[in-house]
Amino acid sequence: MASKENNLYSLFAELYKEGQNGEYERALKTANRILGLSQDDEAALHCKVVSFIQLSKFNDALQIINKFPKLLPKLEFEKAYCLYRLNQVQDAFKIIDNIQNPSLKVKELKAQILYRLERYEECFAVYRDIIKNSNDDYEDERETNLAAVLVHLALEGSKIEVPALREHTYELTYNAACQLIATTTDGDKSNLVKAEKKLRTAEKLCRDSLEEDGMTEEEIEDELGIIRVQLGYCLQLQGREKEAQALYTAALKKRPDDIALVAVASNNVATLNKDQNVFDSKKRMKSATQDGLEHKLTSKQRKSIAYNQCLLALYTNQGEQCQSLCKKFMQDYPDMSIEATTVQAVQLAREGKAKEAVTLLDKQAKGEHYLPTKLACVQLLLSNDEREEAIKVLESLTETEKSLPGIVSTLVTLHMADGNRDRASAVLKNAVNYYKKNKESTGNLSKLWRQAADFHLRGGEVAVAAASLEELLTASPSDTKTLAQLIVAYAQFDPAKAQSLSKRLPPLHDLAESTDADALESSNWVIGMKVVKKKVEPSPGKPEALDKKRKKRKRKGKLPKNYDPNSQPDPERWLPRHERSGFRKKRDRRNRDAAMKGTQGAAAGASDQFDITKMSNAKPSPNPRQSPAVESSGPRQQQRKVQQKKKKKGGKW
């Protein structure tokens, strides 16, 4: 008995020493030897569980804890940690949340679990409590984690008061830059410039820090990859896409071990490609959707990648795949159903199924998405030349929406394109009546009144135009031009009102006071510059030289040689030479004797027909085109065709 106790004592001493030295494989063997002597020894079991955790054998550790339920009260932290590392985060939180009077390490594990569950406000509260009530060597790590939580709170638009954090390490500087990016708005992008500077500072701090720690160049580059990809994202938001793409590509060429980094960089490269270079994008999206990423990326990152996958299927014209991906996307992220439906509708429209696309979009036309969805339907229909259907969709809107200036303008344009002026006029009338009745303010409506008035004046609807001009005059009472137009309009159907309104016009003498009649007469705004006579004042030095007007001498026209004024000119004088009736085409030298000689073997009398000395003395016709054709017998009735020389390229005519 004493020897057994001595053996246990020596084995525990050995186990303690191995634990202190980090020799966990040997510690496992020693713990098993102890359990061989004492099967239910809790200390040995505890040491065995810890050794498995240190060796990342979390399933083995869980098996021991589950096998000995009596150990659970003492090993709640270890069980929760194993579940957390095995990505069973919800189960881990249930255990850790039920621990009474949690220790510091329990609080830190709880904060990590809350971060993975994306419950950032609760996580922020736990970290703030830990930092307040702790004082050890892990202060920098806790501040870094707190800064990461603040980034996500900024992305969510949380109003939590942000504490001031130090930036003396590259991790803290990096997170500070991420926070600036998260708080960037569309109107003000100054934060992006500050974030870029911080990221470049973080890159330098990272290299210096890791070189001091004796890290290899490969390890340093692996750590720098995260900073460089984030810098690329910052540059991409600034519109510097080429620089961003260079950073993403360089980071991916290093083949980093972090699959989350590869996924983010690959997704961002695909977004830069857009609808170009789709084959490269397909390769990138494979890397961005590999297995295991569901536990490495946040839900927002996974959502963006899944949506980009749908868009890529659209760009590559993979109709069935696009539809199936969009359906899965809507199931996983119901809050993005309108975006997925839009992608589906565009795919259907590309296949020539515009009406099906509109039906699909109509189902999503609810609440705040109602008007944008209806306008998307109109765009799809117009892109497929379904003009009448587009008009029906616009006319199905509520009265308020139909009276919006942009929609009024669209409807008028579409009706005028169909040649239906009456319907266009009715749209403008309804809009004018709506704003007169409801007095709603939708910004500056003066352009709408002006366009409506001009339209109805051109169409001869003077009374309707007057109503629009009245509204325009109410908006700007000092507009003399509008007042004058209104008076002209009333003069055509209500002279009395035109007379009363004319009293509001400024008096004529007020307009004439500031007008210089002499300046108007001498100015050249009425007639062209060439017609206005330039008045030249005589120079005091040489008055006689400028008084005389220089006369241009007329030259006599040249007449051709042998000109006879009594004879009529040749009527064909303006025709080209080859079109004149007396033109004789020059014979080709190679064929000049062909008509004068008979062919070999011809009849003896045949040559006389072509002998010029024996031809009849008949007077030739003045026009060679009218001369009678000479019929010849023999095997060759036609002359050899004259081959005209081709004009060389670049030569002269």
Side-chain angles (χ1 to χ4, degrees):
M1 190 72 179
S3 61
K4 182 181 177 181
E5 289 179 358
N6 290 333
N7 286 338
L8 285 173
Y9 180 79
S10 61
L11 286 170
F12 270 115
E14 188 180 344
L15 182 61
Y16 176 77
K17 186 179 178 181
E18 288 164 351
Q20 291 294 312
N21 294 331
E23 299 172 345
Y24 298 109
E25 289 285 358
R26 295 180 65 183
L28 275 175
K29 293 177 182 178
T30 305
N32 285 332
R33 288 168 63 189
I34 294 171
L35 291 170
L37 295 173
S38 177
Q39 190 174 5
D40 297 332
D41 192 292
E42 293 183 5
L45 287 168
H46 195 165
C47 289
K48 191 173 180 180
V49 168
V50 172
S51 297
F52 276 132
I53 290 172
Q54 292 291 346
L55 293 168
S56 298
K57 296 180 179 180
F58 305 110
N59 280 317
D60 294 335
L62 269 179
Q63 283 179 4
I64 295 173
I65 296 170
N66 294 332
K67 189 176 179 180
F68 299 95
K70 64 178 182 178
L71 294 175
L72 185 57
K74 294 182 180 179
L75 297 177
E76 286 178 317
F77 171 79
E78 285 77 5
K79 184 175 182 180
Y81 183 76
C82 289
L83 290 168
Y84 166 73
R85 292 300 300 272
L86 291 169
N87 297 314
Q88 300 176 32
V89 190
Q90 290 287 358
D91 295 334
F93 181 73
K94 287 177 184 176
I95 294 170
I96 211 80
D97 196 41
N98 290 326
I99 296 176
Q100 302 295 324
N101 301 319
S103 61
L104 185 62
K105 67 178 183 178
V106 171
K107 288 180 180 179
E108 289 189 334
L109 179 58
K110 185 178 181 179
Q112 291 287 340
I113 292 171
L114 287 168
Y115 185 85
R116 285 280 297 277
L117 290 171
E118 299 183 17
R119 294 161 64 171
Y120 298 115
E121 290 191 6
E122 296 174 61
C123 183
F124 172 76
V126 175
Y127 268 126
R128 189 169 55 180
D129 177 55
I130 293 170
I131 292 171
K132 188 177 179 181
N133 298 305
S134 64
N135 186 16
D136 52 26
D137 296 335
Y138 297 103
E139 189 176 356
D140 288 347
E141 285 80 354
R142 293 186 187 111
E143 280 192 29
T144 301
N145 291 345
L146 180 63
V149 174
L150 290 172
V151 172
H152 289 285
L153 287 172
L155 286 169
E156 290 179 351
S158 177
K159 302 298 181 183
I160 287 179
E161 186 179 351
V162 179
L165 298 176
R166 298 176 295 168
E167 296 179 17
H168 61 290
T169 65
Y170 75 88
E171 294 99 335
L172 282 165
T173 308
Y174 170 83
N175 283 338
C178 292
Q179 192 173 346
L180 284 169
I181 294 171
T183 53
T184 300
T185 58
D186 293 334
D188 181 18
K189 295 193 176 181
S190 59
N191 281 355
L192 293 176
V193 180
K194 297 176 187 175
E196 182 188 346
K197 290 180 182 177
K198 286 186 184 293
L199 286 168
R200 296 192 187 278
T201 304
E203 186 179 358
K204 186 177 182 304
L205 287 172
C206 177
R207 178 170 285 281
D208 295 343
S209 173
L210 297 182
E211 283 177 351
E212 284 180 12
D213 293 343
M215 296 283 189
T216 63
E217 184 63 25
E218 187 178 347
E219 290 171 329
I220 293 171
E221 286 295 325
D222 196 45
E223 189 69 17
L224 286 171
I226 300 170
I227 301 173
R228 287 169 180 166
V229 168
Q230 190 68 11
L231 178 59
Y233 175 63
C234 181
L235 294 173
Q236 187 176 352
L237 291 179
Q238 293 181 57
R240 294 155 64 180
E241 295 186 351
K242 288 186 178 178
E243 297 173 64
Q245 189 153 26
L247 285 170
Y248 296 144
T249 307
L252 290 169
K253 279 184 179 177
K254 301 285 183 183
R255 298 186 180 277
D257 296 329
D258 188 352
I259 59 172
L261 176 66
V262 172
V264 170
S266 299
N267 174 74
N268 291 358
V269 170
T271 61
L272 287 173
N273 288 338
K274 297 178 184 175
D275 57 345
Q276 305 296 321
N277 203 1
V278 290
F279 293 108
D280 179 65
S281 295
K282 285 181 77 173
K283 184 176 71 173
R284 300 298 181 191
M285 289 309 295
K286 262 188 181 177
S287 301
T289 54
Q290 59 184 302
D291 294 335
L293 283 168
E294 62 272 11
H295 305 300
K296 295 284 185 179
L297 300 173
T298 64
S299 61
K300 186 175 181 182
Q301 290 171 327
R302 295 196 301 272
K303 186 191 295 183
S304 297
I305 291 172
Y307 183 60
N308 288 336
Q309 202 175 7
C310 296
L311 288 174
L312 183 60
L314 172 68
Y315 291 149
T316 52
N317 292 320
Q318 295 174 296
E320 290 183 8
Q321 187 182 3
C322 178
Q323 296 293 332
S324 62
L325 284 172
C326 287
K327 287 175 184 175
K328 185 178 183 302
F329 182 73
M330 283 191 282
Q331 290 172 0
D332 295 340
Y333 307 101
D335 59 313
M336 294 279 285
S337 59
I338 185 65
E339 288 83 355
T341 306
T342 305
V343 175
Q344 283 182 297
V346 173
Q347 178 61 41
L348 287 170
R350 280 189 172 188
E351 295 172 359
K353 302 174 183 176
K355 292 184 179 178
E356 290 182 34
V358 170
T359 305
L360 190 66
L361 279 173
D362 267 337
K363 294 177 183 177
Q364 298 292 332
K366 300 170 187 174
E368 60 180 351
H369 298 301
Y370 178 78
L371 185 58
T373 306
K374 288 289 186 182
L375 294 178
C377 293
V378 172
Q379 185 177 357
L380 286 174
L381 290 166
L382 289 176
S383 62
N384 285 271
D385 295 328
E386 298 281 352
R387 191 184 297 163
E388 193 59 40
E389 293 294 327
I391 291 172
K392 285 179 184 177
V393 172
L394 288 174
E395 288 181 341
S396 69
L397 298 174
T398 62
E399 190 179 5
T400 305
E401 290 162 344
K402 278 196 293 187
S403 302
L404 292 171
I407 293 175
V408 170
S409 173
T410 305
L411 276 170
V412 169
T413 304
L414 291 174
H415 286 316
M416 291 300 291
D418 285 339
N420 198 331
R421 186 182 180 85
D422 293 339
R423 289 178 73 180
S425 176
V427 169
L428 283 168
K429 284 178 189 174
N430 292 336
V432 170
N433 292 334
Y434 174 81
Y435 287 113
K436 283 182 72 176
K437 180 182 175 183
N438 295 283
K439 302 293 181 183
E440 288 187 13
S441 176
T442 58
N444 188 7
L445 293 170
S446 58
K447 197 167 185 180
L448 174 65
W449 303 127
R450 177 71 65 190
Q451 294 297 328
D454 292 344
F455 181 87
H456 290 121
L457 282 172
R458 287 195 301 271
E461 298 176 273
V462 189
V464 183
S468 298
L469 289 168
E470 276 184 352
E471 294 294 332
L472 193 58
L473 191 63
T474 305
S476 52
S478 58
D479 190 352
T480 311
K481 180 183 176 182
T482 305
L483 179 61
Q485 280 184 314
L486 186 58
I487 292 168
V488 171
Y490 272 128
Q492 298 182 49
F493 68 96
D494 193 348
K497 197 159 188 179
Q499 183 68 29
S500 64
L501 278 174
S502 63
K503 295 175 182 177
R504 292 172 57 182
L505 286 170
L508 188 60
H509 65 82
D510 290 350
L511 296 173
E513 276 181 2
S514 58
T515 305
D516 187 354
D518 295 335
L520 285 173
E521 287 178 1
S522 61
S523 66
N524 56 0
W525 61 274
V526 177
I527 52 179
M529 288 289 293
K530 291 182 181 178
V531 183
V532 177
K533 292 182 179 179
K534 189 173 181 181
K535 235 177 173 182
V536 181
E537 297 273 341
S539 172
K542 294 181 180 180
E544 71 282 0
L546 294 174
D547 286 342
K548 292 181 181 180
K549 198 172 184 179
R550 189 173 179 179
K551 292 183 179 179
K552 287 186 180 179
R553 189 175 62 186
K554 288 186 179 180
R555 292 183 181 180
K556 276 189 176 183
K558 289 184 179 180
L559 295 172
K561 291 178 181 179
N562 305 322
Y563 169 69
D564 185 1
N566 298 320
S567 65
Q568 290 293 329
D570 185 7
E572 295 182 352
R573 65 189 183 281
W574 300 118
L575 290 176
R577 184 173 292 178
H578 66 274
E579 290 183 10
R580 297 180 189 179
S581 58
F583 175 72
R584 298 176 71 86
K585 190 174 181 181
K586 197 173 183 180
R587 286 182 182 273
D588 192 346
R589 287 181 177 275
R590 291 171 296 182
N591 297 326
R592 64 181 178 179
D593 297 330
M596 305 301 175
K597 296 178 181 178
T599 57
Q600 291 182 6
S607 60
D608 294 341
Q609 297 178 12
F610 304 105
D611 189 350
I612 197 168
T613 59
K614 297 179 181 181
M615 284 186 179
S616 62
N617 293 326
K619 189 177 180 181
S621 172
N623 190 347
R625 295 177 186 175
Q626 298 173 0
S627 60
V630 179
E631 294 183 4
S632 63
S633 61
R636 294 188 181 178
Q637 291 184 333
Q638 296 180 347
Q639 294 184 3
R640 185 161 58 92
K641 289 185 178 178
V642 178
Q643 293 182 354
Q644 294 184 355
K645 290 185 180 179
K646 291 184 179 179
K647 180 180 174 241
K648 289 185 180 178
K649 202 169 185 181
K652 296 181 180 179
W653 287 97

